[in-house]
Amino acid sequence: MPTGNDENSDASTARSHNETAPLLQQSSSGARLSPAPVSATPHDSSDSSPTSEHDAWIVSSQPASREAPRQRGLQRLQQLQQLRQRQDQGANTHSQPFSRKWWFRRIRYYVPIVGWLTTYSLGNLATDIKAGFMVACLLVPQTLSYSALTHLPPAYGLYAALVPALVYAMLGTSRHLSMGPEALISVLTGTLVRGQIKHLYAAYSPNIPPPDAIDRFAAGVSCAVALAAGLFTFALGIFRFGFLDSMISESSLRGFISGTAIFILVGQTRIVLGIPPSASVHSTPLNDLKYILTHLHQTHAATAVVSLASMALLLLLRVAKRRFKTTQWLQLVPDTLVVIIAATTASWAAELNATHGVGIFGRVDGGLPKPAIPRIPAYAESKDIVSSAITITMIGVVESVIVAREYASRNHYAVSSNRELVALGMSNIVGSAFGAYPAFGSLSRSKLNDRAQAKSQISGIVATALVLVSLLGLLPYLYHLPLSVLSAIIVDAVGSLLSATPGAIAFLFGVRAWSDLFLLLFICMCSIVSSVETGILLAVVISLIMVIKRSNTPRIRLLGRSAADIPELRPISNLAPFSNSSRCISFGSFVNNAQTHNARQENASDSEGSPYDSDQDAGGLLRPTEGVLIVRVEEPLYFANAGQLHARLNRLEMFGDLNVHPSEAPQMKPTRAVVFDLVGMADIDGSALEILLNIVREYGRRGVRTAFARVCDGVRTKFGLSGMAEAGAEYEFEDIHSALLHVERQLTVSIAP
């Protein structure tokens, strides 16, 4: 399980510091601290022996002839030692397993509300209540709107904002993350529900299932996928996989988000325009777009006017807030709530449903959800639910953890990715028993929560309380709300998802990151043409392939020196400017220059550069040493990246450059010696060690001398255990020049031209 920082001795440390400070001040006035040994004292000898490096410093008198200051210094030292012993005893008492304090610290860590609620300042209550109210004014309209994306009754959107948000407020570490329904998750849930409903239609064929049966079936599928997603997320947190949020590349994620946003826009455009739904139960975004374009003549004028007016009002309010940033009351106006109130009032006053045929919200049963263990409904495919749960988990985890980290960084507090996963998982597990579909963190609501200056998770609890009030008493007042207004709210929210795409494309184009740009556009098009499942699958698979590919290639560099007399070794990246006759520097002249340089400098290793040195120096372009490969390994070797080491070394032997195409003619003379600079290789596992040992043995069979320079202690120990010396390699050299001198003495044939 994820573990917290050790805080057992914080209090005792503070106490001992306060007690020892006056003693240190006194000792500084009459005595000085020196590392001389302590003489015998009246106490037991075990008390006088220092227990740590800090205790080894004693107090001695400034004038050696005066014994009184020395005795006072020894007494102060004894007092310091006694305080240190009490501190250690207190720390041992606090860290005793399964003690009362041990249990309290563990509960406070894994249930954060126990920690922050006991220290909560009532002065922040008014600010948290205001923030919770502002978030609820956005949360309630969004939940009602997003429920349309999931093909569920509106009440289920409120269910997803009720219990999951309450559980997260108790277990989450972020003060600003707003838990509840989210556009992308709602689309993925709705895609699953829509795909499973066709099995229900097939079971009732040739009849049509009743609406109540469709609602129960859809609710069962959504609760089952919420339970599965919660279990997956909880398991990721328990087994400390919080790093997975960074496994999907930014380009892949941006492409998927853009494609999904376009998918939502296409689906909601039909409702905004009032076009009748398609007879197809399961369709792709491209087919939906074709359907809209071919049925534009069926646009319902009154519905389109209401939708466009709602979007215009939302845009007007947003522009006004940007224009008048200093007007505080205007910044606190809830846009979506104002639009819903205005649209509902206008629909009731003008009787839009009765006179113009505008679809309205109608009567919706509210009330609290009844707890029940989620079960996969009959006719539903369990494998589809599990696969969708994995997809939802990936997207929800990435979005939620990124948002939590961003606002924690802005407000100077820390969040734990693993504990966030546990909190998100438990929120969905518990929420699924109360009718909730998958819920995760929302960027737009978290941004509003931060703008309202929320101080703690109390703002989330306040928002949950207002959702409960809406669920129990608000729904009847929304009877005349036009459904197209909810679609307009969705379109407005999705616009924020697309707002960052043009900037991302321009940035990638400007820095010439062609592979990332292609990846963004490709995944976006696949999400539109095929499905959102295809888009996220490609995003995950391609990102993992990129990670595997880059980790599979060992980072090695060929070292050389410039034409200057100083034999300064730097990484070489390109040999193209040199001809075959002048591209190398003779080994003998290099060693002679190295000896001269060693005589001038006390430490030649300081001039060997680092793994991040540039490819040029004051002496001009770099050239390799003739007949010798000086190879720097810039990272630890393990089973994944060591497999390609032999092939990359062969390419360096032939071309001296890893960027040269293999079809080119060899450009290097035969290799007589290889010197490995292991300054960047802090570790090596067993598989990589076996591969490296086989490479050394192959070099030995070819008569190629091998030496290793700047080997760290751990790697040197493994070399000794593996028999690296018996294979013909030397690895005790402190710098590259020493290794080169040794190799020169070992060679029987001169390498110099």
Side-chain angles (χ1 to χ4, degrees), residues 506-539:
F507 174 78
L508 295 177
F509 185 84
V511 299
R512 300 181 181 180
W514 308 123
S515 58
D516 291 326
L517 181 60
F518 172 78
L519 190 61
L520 188 155
L521 298 176
F522 176 72
I523 293 178
C524 178
M525 291 302 300
C526 289
S527 301
I528 298 172
V529 175
S530 180
S531 63
V532 291
E533 295 96 333
T534 303
I536 185 58
L537 180 63
L538 287 173

Side-chain angles (χ1 to χ4, degrees), residues 241-357:
F241 279 88
F243 63 89
L244 288 180
D245 64 284
S246 58
M247 294 298 291
I248 301 180
S249 68
E250 181 67 23
S251 301
S252 300
L253 186 61
R254 176 54 53 190
F256 169 73
I257 291 176
S258 302
T260 305
I262 295 174
F263 168 79
I264 297 174
L265 287 176
V266 171
Q268 295 303 307
T269 299
R270 182 191 62 79
I271 303 176
V272 167
L273 298 178
I275 298 175
S278 172
S280 176
V281 177
H282 186 71
S283 180
T284 64
L286 186 60
N287 292 334
D288 290 341
L289 181 60
K290 292 179 180 179
Y291 176 81
I292 293 174
L293 295 177
T294 56
H295 291 76
L296 284 177
H297 60 279
Q298 297 183 5
T299 299
H300 192 271
T303 301
V305 169
V306 172
S307 303
L308 295 176
S310 301
M311 287 189 286
L313 182 57
L314 286 170
L315 180 61
L316 179 63
L317 290 173
R318 186 174 296 107
V319 171
K321 288 184 177 182
R322 293 176 182 174
R323 178 66 177 82
F324 303 100
K325 292 182 179 180
T326 58
T327 306
Q328 187 65 26
W329 67 268
L330 183 60
Q331 302 299 321
L332 300 178
V333 172
D335 306 356
T336 54
L337 186 61
V338 169
V339 171
I340 284 182
I341 293 175
T344 303
T345 303
S347 176
W348 168 75
E351 297 182 352
L352 294 180
N353 178 251
T355 58
H356 299 283

Side-chain angles (χ1 to χ4, degrees), residues 679-731:
V679 64
M681 197 179 84
D683 192 18
I684 185 171
D685 70 355
S687 300
L689 182 58
E690 185 176 3
I691 292 173
L692 188 59
L693 190 62
N694 291 332
I695 292 174
V696 172
R697 288 170 178 167
E698 181 183 345
Y699 281 148
R701 289 191 294 267
R702 292 168 46 194
V704 177
R705 301 291 180 176
T706 308
F708 295 92
R710 297 200 284 186
V711 183
C712 68
D713 294 337
V715 176
R716 182 181 291 109
T717 301
K718 293 183 179 180
F719 278 5
L721 296 175
S722 66
M724 187 68 72
E726 290 77 1
E730 298 288 342
Y731 50 86

Side-chain angles (χ1 to χ4, degrees), residues 155-208:
Y156 284 88
L158 294 174
Y159 295 161
L162 186 63
V163 176
L166 184 61
V167 174
Y168 180 82
M170 294 186 292
L171 301 179
T173 58
S174 174
R175 305 170 191 169
H176 298 87
L177 186 68
S178 177
M179 188 74 173
E182 203 273 334
L184 295 178
I185 303 300
S186 299
V187 170
L188 294 172
T189 304
T191 303
L192 171 66
V193 171
R194 189 176 181 182
Q196 297 302 306
I197 286 179
K198 66 180 181 181
H199 300 302
L200 182 66
Y201 273 82
Y204 275 84
S205 181
N207 299 321
I208 297 177

Side-chain angles (χ1 to χ4, degrees), residues 15 26 103 121 135 150 152 159 263 282 339 389 406 443 462 485 493 496 550 556 564 584 608 658 665 689 710 720 732:
R15 288 196 301 270
Q26 294 175 10
W103 278 111
S121 174
V135 171
T150 61
L152 291 169
Y159 295 161
F263 168 79
H282 186 71
V339 171
E406 177 181 354
L443 175 60
V462 172
V485 174
S496 62
R550 293 181 180 179
I556 62 175
C584 297
E608 292 171 0
L658 295 173
L689 182 58
R710 297 200 284 186
E732 298 294 339

